[in-house]
Amino acid sequence: MTERRAGEDPAQRQVVAGLVAAPGLPLELAEDLADRLPVVMAARAPRVRWAFVVRPEPLVGTANIDVDLVRPARERLLAEGWELAICLTDLPVRVGRRPVTAFASRALGVGVVSVPAFGAVDLVERVLQAVLYLLDELAPDAASGPRQSPPPGTRRRSWRRRLLDSAVGSRDAPEQDSVRFVTAASVGNIRLLLGMVRANRPWRLMIGLSRVLVAAAGTAAFGLSSASLWWIGDAMSWPRLLALDLVAALIICVTLIVGHRLWERPQVPAARERVTLVNLATALTVALGVLPLLAALLVVTTLCARAVLLQPVLGQQLGHPPRIGDYIGIASLVSALAVLGGALGAALETDVTVREAAYGYRAADGRAGHERRSGADGP
């Protein structure tokens, strides 16, 4: 028997809703929504007391199978006695070429939110807006109330409101008991890809590549002491040095993807298009994790070269007084070779560290994660 909290109206209707989320960013968003939604819904529908229960579900984050995103949420709904359930996934959902941001099945009482479809900016507010739309569709009597709108005369908030509505997209009803929100194909697909990269969190990969940094730093230190590299770096043109740096970055990206099996293969033909998007997002994520490392290594190597390679010594070896461009050219060559050396360190990184940047591997963790409940007490 549950205790009634002070100030609660016994005549209030109680609605328990589930937030079923894939591990990672969707689960973090679900936990944030579970804290915010009871307050928002209390303002929209004062006579209804809402409770939101968060449950992790790895299956809705698996890309290489043709997973039905509605089914896991529906099974949770029936098992736990919820009135409705909303699934938050980090997988792309599309109708033809148009990304789907949200989908609701009134007959099943289940809604689906594709988090990447909202892009990489203002993600929490956009997902919150989408969930509110789904609650209106799934429980119109309990969720009805005036929509929150910005105060009149505030241009910035009006622009933000249009941005949120644009992110949700246009309303489409393919069946009488369901509704989905789709976005324009061109802008929507770009936003979808950026959202998938954002969900991968490439900065974690950059921070986690400790072995790559150690191997690259050791190679760079050795390279700066080689007079042969001074001559080669001074003789090479800038386009060739740039091409060499990009090739080195490409090699380390391929090493990470192939060595740690980040490239997904569809287990069924129906999942081919989804897996293609996932692989593209993974490649961009790894590139965004590696390129800043190369840029930082180039800056540090240039500073070290300027400090260690004295002008008289370097000028005697090169046959002319060294300029700042000579130091940058030598550092660029040394950095490229250091990144190639770092490819060995990339192969030695643990799979767990690297796979944090890839979709589809969180399902291997099983039903890991904690479960929580927010809002009013259940019956």
Side-chain angles (χ1 to χ4, degrees), residues 34-175:
D35 293 331
R36 299 179 60 180
L37 280 170
V39 179
V40 175
M41 298 306 296
R44 289 164 56 98
R47 292 187 173 274
V48 179
R49 188 156 45 97
W50 284 83
F52 293 89
V53 183
V54 178
R55 295 288 186 264
E57 179 51 68
L59 185 61
V60 299
T62 305
N64 57 7
I65 62 175
D66 187 22
V67 59
D68 181 1
L69 298 174
V70 174
R71 182 175 179 180
R74 177 64 180 177
E75 291 176 350
R76 283 278 192 168
L77 181 150
L78 296 176
E80 304 204 23
W82 302 333
E83 291 197 30
L84 56 94
I86 295 179
C87 169
L88 276 70
T89 180
D90 53 7
L91 297 178
V93 180
R94 300 204 301 178
V95 176
R97 295 180 178 273
R98 303 178 66 186
V100 176
T101 57
F103 170 83
S105 174
R106 302 188 189 96
L108 298 178
V110 174
V112 175
V113 175
S114 177
V115 173
F118 295 94
V121 181
D122 208 9
L123 189 59
V124 176
E125 293 299 326
R126 292 182 179 186
V127 173
L128 174 62
Q129 185 72 25
V131 171
L132 292 177
Y133 276 121
L134 293 181
L135 292 177
D136 286 340
E137 297 294 337
L138 296 174
D141 296 335
S144 61
R147 287 193 182 275
Q148 294 177 326
S149 59
T154 307
R155 294 183 58 186
R156 182 178 180 183
R157 292 194 177 184
S158 297
W159 174 84
R160 184 178 182 182
R161 176 69 186 188
R162 290 195 300 270
L163 179 64
L164 295 177
D165 289 338
S166 173
V168 173
S170 60
R171 193 169 183 268
D172 180 21
E175 303 173 5

Side-chain angles (χ1 to χ4, degrees), residues 229-249 294 298 302 324-337 339-340:
L229 292 181
W230 303 349
W231 299 330
I232 297 173
D234 180 62
M236 291 182 69
S237 62
W238 286 108
R240 180 168 294 185
L241 286 172
L242 178 60
L244 182 61
D245 286 334
L246 293 179
V247 169
L294 177 59
L298 176 59
T302 301
I324 185 63
D326 298 323
Y327 286 100
I328 297 177
I330 294 172
S332 180
L333 174 62
V334 170
S335 297
L337 296 178
V339 169
L340 292 177

